[in-house]
Amino acid sequence: SRQWRRWNRIFRRKCRDVVKSKFFYWLVILLVALNTFSIASEHHFQPEWLTVVQDNANRVLLALFVAEMLLKMYALGLRQYFMSLFNRFDCFVVCAGILETILVELGTLSPLGISVLRCIRLLRIFKITRYWTSLSNLVASLLNSVRSIASLLLLLFLFIIVFALLGMQLFGGKYDFEDMEVRRSTFDNFPQALISVFQILTGEDWNSIMYNGIMAYGGPSFPGMLVCIYFIILFVCGNYILLNVFLAIAVDNLAEAESLTSAQKAKAEERKRRKMSRGYPEKSEDEKQMLAKKLEQKAKGEGIPTTAKLKVDEFESNVNEIKDPYPSADFPGDDEEDEPEIPLSPRPRPLAELQLKEKAVPMPEASSFFIFSPTNKFRMLCHRIVNATWFTNFILLFILLSSISLAAEDPIRAESFRNQILRYFDIGFTSVFTVEIVLKMTAYGAFLHKGSFCRNSFNILDLLVVAVSLISMGFESSTISVVKILRVLRVLRPLRAINRAKGLKHVVQCVFVAIKTIGNIVVVTTLLQFMFACIGVQLFKGKFYSCSDPSKLTEKECRGYFINYVDGDPTQIELKKRIWFHNDFHFNNVFSAMMSLFTVSTFEGWPELLYRAIDTNDENKGPIYNYRVEIAMFFIIYIILIAFFMMNIFVGFVIVTFQEQGESEYKNCELDKNQRQCVQYALKARPLRRYIPKNPYQYQIWYVVTSSYFEYLMFFLILLNTICLGMQHYNQSAEMNHISDILNVAFTVLFTLEMFLKLLAFKAK
């Protein structure tokens, strides 16, 4: 037995090494990808052989996932295995797969439920986040917020139930009007009331439900208008208050994910710095102390721990490096130019209030076009011109005029007189832009050395736009001249000079920084969208067909003609042909399902698609009214998860990014946010000044108009005036018009008297 235990330990250690290796991880990811492809390949009207391949692939992949689970359990042990959240989820999915296979073989469960349950395996694809740090932190923060979301969902569910029950008491059976139109958003039963209240929360076509409620109580008169109170309270409390809690949770989760990612990056940089510092043992103590001091100063300037900022070799290689005159547009916050000098003043002022003079971009030391040296007079003249304020304003003016000329072109009559005139203007604009490019290339060089013109992506865009304009001048074809619209992108150039305005700088930095990290949110949302699309294919493929004659359910029956009563009037009869048609939005394949669900996430016309799904009967058959009301849970869960939560993640990320960019301005400040606010309040605080007249008669009037009783009296008069104005209505009687005119004159006299009293009390100044 001792020998067996020894071999067991060795084998478990080998299995543990295999399980934790990258090869095993990517092998599992490959199996997950195959499983995903197998489920996503299912579509309507698929051949029989594909169905057989999908079933066999499902069994093989299930066996491999079971083997993976058992191997992990053996290698890690049950206790360590179930400590991981992903391992628990894997175990649940595998056990569900085994259960579904047994139930299918026994024939006790319908294949529809099995197919939907099989789609849960698609969540395994989130395992790819293991080596994707920022995405992994985002997913972890979303999972940690399940408790907050669960509490909010419980509150939202209770809120919907209360208003659904109240709606049933107010409008149950009252949406049946004489116009013969079938209304789906009603309160006739509890499930339908729940769907109607949820539709009002999404804001899609909620006003039609409110108008039907008003008409149910006699129209826009006294009893009917009171119905608005129910819908307004439901919409305001539910949409404006309760659903915005999702945004608060999203902001909290993103702040947590960003802080976790920053901490991990700082820790990784610290490990790299230590590893590199061990690679330079030949340095003297003085050099090490000086280098450590510079590192500390650099790290303090960027507001993160000293040991986690810069590697030794990077610092040494960048000491004598020529600065790039065009900072990269991908990182607008990394400004490599020197900080502008702040003018001295008796007391400190915010940077946004200071009109700072920007320094000219230095000229690179290398030669330009192998001809002009840094001391060449012509090159120095070009450098002074391109850095002059008047030159920048001149180019911005021509960019604006060029954009206006593009907007003024006639796209229909290409040879019109207006287009011929604008063509001459276009030649002038292109010539000016070409001269600008040549001057800048002469001043900074083309592309061979650091700091040259073409080393910046934004300048390459400028060069491309000018090149396209030059090429398009030689062609008369309208298809080629369309590319001149790229010239409008030159209006983005003022963004480079936006550092003068603190608020605009924060907005621009927020946009550029958000582009990088927002990709993680897009990936998570796309994966969830893909999973719901696969479930939608299982639920609704081939079921969105219908006949123009509602009494016919199959394509074979939908032939010939049928009698239609216009507006339900038996005296107005028309003969119409039966047409078998397919709904515009359907779920026959994954791509169509993703498009349909995307329209649902935008709330645009989603109730129509919902009721169309509720009426679905069977594949290649027409709809039956309210055949599957329970299928509404699919759309409700999708809207809550994607539209309410994940879409708010985008808004929350912009908020978090804007806050971080606002705080980065004070990265060198030793005071925290509250202390800075206290200092700013103390600097801006001014004593209150109150005017008191010295004349005794004027003082009496001043005493009256400044008293609280006079203020209450004027507030009461304003309220009465508002009520009188609100009482006016269409087709009012002559007596009502006469009373309104008298009250209008009376209030005008009173408010004029108030104005004269205050003029006497305070004087005109």
Side-chain angles (χ1 to χ4, degrees), residues 391-463:
F391 182 78
T392 303
N393 295 333
F394 178 76
I395 294 299
L396 291 180
L397 175 63
F398 268 74
I399 290 172
L400 179 61
L401 294 176
S402 175
S403 303
I404 295 175
S405 68
L406 284 174
E409 287 184 359
D410 189 353
I412 299 177
R413 294 173 297 176
E415 299 299 328
S416 63
F417 177 74
R418 183 175 60 182
N419 283 4
Q420 292 178 3
I421 297 298
L422 291 175
R423 195 171 293 119
Y424 291 108
F425 279 101
D426 181 64
I427 295 174
F429 295 142
T430 305
S431 302
V432 172
F433 295 147
T434 305
V435 171
E436 177 205 6
I437 296 294
V438 172
L439 289 176
K440 288 193 173 182
M441 282 191 172
T442 305
Y444 299 109
F447 56 85
L448 290 181
H449 54 269
K450 292 183 179 180
S452 58
F453 182 81
C454 293
R455 290 294 183 97
N456 179 261
S457 57
F458 199 89
N459 292 333
I460 293 177
L461 176 63
D462 284 348
L463 183 61

Side-chain angles (χ1 to χ4, degrees), residues 19-33:
V19 166
K20 292 186 176 183
S21 64
K22 284 190 176 183
F23 172 77
F24 186 81
Y25 166 78
W26 288 110
L27 179 62
V28 173
I29 292 298
L30 177 61
L31 295 178
V32 171

Side-chain angles (χ1 to χ4, degrees), residues 287-312:
E287 290 178 345
K288 288 182 179 180
Q289 290 179 2
M290 185 175 62
L291 191 57
K293 191 174 182 180
K294 291 181 179 180
L295 287 171
E296 183 178 357
Q297 292 175 355
K298 178 70 176 176
K300 284 182 178 179
E302 305 212 1
I304 65 170
T306 303
T307 56
K309 192 54 204 170
L310 198 63
K311 292 187 289 189
V312 177

